[in-house]
Amino acid sequence: MNFPGVVEKLPPVPLDDVSTASSAETAPVAVPRYLEEVYTWAYLNPRNVALLDRPSVVNGLLFGNARRLTRAVMAEIGRGDRVLLPAHVYGNFVNKLAAYLGPSGELDVIDVAPVQVARCRRKVTGLPQVTVRLADAADPGGGPYDAVTCFFLLHEVPDGKKRAIIDGLLGSLEPRGKAVFVDYHRPHWWHPLRPVLGTVNACLEPFAKALWRHDIAEFASRPGDFTWSKRTYFGGLYQKVVARRG
Ligand SMILES: C[S@@+](CC[C@H](N)C(=O)[O-])C[C@H]1O[C@@H](n2cnc3c(N)ncnc32)[C@H](O)[C@@H]1O
């Protein structure tokens, strides 16, 4: 992909930044095969990471809906909550969420890719309520949390991994905690972007179409332990699914 006019202002991220990780990272964390095979260009190549990790790119990829979807997440969580973000999100989502939670809140960001952990750590300098560590969302550790906010991760993982991640995240909630999933959804048949998304999925996002066919709740092993609600946005192209325990 070509991003004309994009100038990176930050120096390259040294990968050994992640060596300052917390003691919770003692178990080895492998970069999953799907990430290497499908998404190296977007998430593992340090040069492209630097190019893509900016609010304008995220907002463009979300067709101008970044702010709306970020607000939809925040509407579900309380200031001062202890929250898990199970994968780094490009742009300023992490900073906005941390600012919303405030100094009495806690935001624990994990990512399975060392380059993403290092990148995220640099963004949250000066925000003591944020920790960033290397972990797989299917086995997040660090719980229990008041809330988990899973932002556009599920469409990028194979279906078996969707199940493992959803179970791992639901299992890390407090007894009255909630998980918030924001991701792609099947657009209405009349949506002018439906054919565009269909082509993008066929070429670049092989695991996304499953979210057009299945509700997120269908991937959970024990859906009955949670109360589920779903709302769609932008002609059905995006969804917010909330799972409340109990
Ligand atoms: C949140 S998703 C996509 C977010 C969105 N496209 C954006 O604007 O950044 C991308 C991140 O998920 C991470 N990731 C992929 N599989 C993961 C897993 N199993 N556990 C934790 N992080 C994972 C990748 O390393 C990458 O940093």
Side-chain angles (χ1 to χ4, degrees):
M1 285 175 81
N2 193 16
F3 297 91
V6 171
V7 179
E8 171 52 14
K9 297 189 190 89
L10 302 170
V13 179
L15 294 190
D16 59 2
D17 268 14
V18 292
S19 63
T20 56
S22 77
S23 57
E25 286 176 21
T26 42
V29 178
V31 173
R33 246 175 82 182
Y34 63 84
L35 198 56
E36 282 182 340
E37 289 177 356
V38 182
Y39 290 110
T40 287
W41 69 273
Y43 299 123
L44 303 181
N45 177 312
R47 189 170 168 274
N48 289 353
V49 169
L51 286 171
L52 296 171
D53 186 9
R54 55 193 73 228
S56 55
V57 172
V58 174
N59 199 36
L61 292 172
L62 293 177
F63 302 106
N65 287 279
R67 187 182 295 179
R68 185 179 184 197
L69 295 173
T70 302
R71 279 209 213 107
V73 171
M74 289 175 192
E76 299 295 339
I77 56 181
R79 292 181 195 274
D81 275 359
R82 180 157 199 267
V83 175
L84 172 68
L85 178 62
H88 179 218
V89 179
Y90 284 162
N92 54 14
F93 180 84
V94 178
N95 305 71
K96 283 189 167 178
L97 194 53
Y100 173 80
L101 293 173
S104 62
E106 273 181 60
L107 178 60
D108 191 15
V109 185
I110 61 172
D111 200 287
V112 79
V115 65
Q116 296 290 339
V117 170
R119 183 88 194 164
C120 187
R121 283 210 178 123
R122 284 176 51 200
K123 280 198 219 171
V124 299
T125 311
L127 290 169
Q129 67 269 47
V130 187
T131 50
V132 188
R133 59 192 174 86
L134 190 65
D136 191 306
D139 185 16
Y145 297 95
D146 299 313
V148 171
T149 60
C150 187
F151 199 75
F152 288 95
L153 171 62
L154 295 178
H155 76 281
E156 292 185 347
V157 307
D159 288 1
K161 191 75 178 182
K162 287 182 182 58
R163 285 187 199 98
I165 288 176
I166 290 169
D167 284 346
L169 298 182
L170 294 177
S172 69
L173 290 173
E174 288 273 11
R176 298 192 61 76
K178 64 161 87 159
V180 185
F181 301 91
V182 172
D183 220 307
Y184 289 102
H185 181 264
R186 183 183 59 258
H188 292 307
W189 65 267
W190 47 259
H191 202 302
L193 292 171
R194 188 176 162 124
V196 177
L197 263 292
T199 307
V200 169
N201 289 344
C203 300
L204 293 173
E205 308 260 35
F207 315 120
K209 247 331 188 7
L211 295 182
W212 288 29
R213 291 190 294 262
H214 300 283
D215 276 334
I216 286 176
E218 291 177 51
F219 293 98
S221 299
R222 298 169 62 92
D225 291 354
F226 297 84
T227 306
W228 298 82
S229 63
K230 173 170 137 181
R231 180 177 167 187
T232 61
Y233 301 82
F234 198 51
L237 205 145
Y238 304 113
Q239 62 182 318
K240 174 175 79 174
V241 169
V242 179
R244 283 166 217 270
R245 196 188 268 289

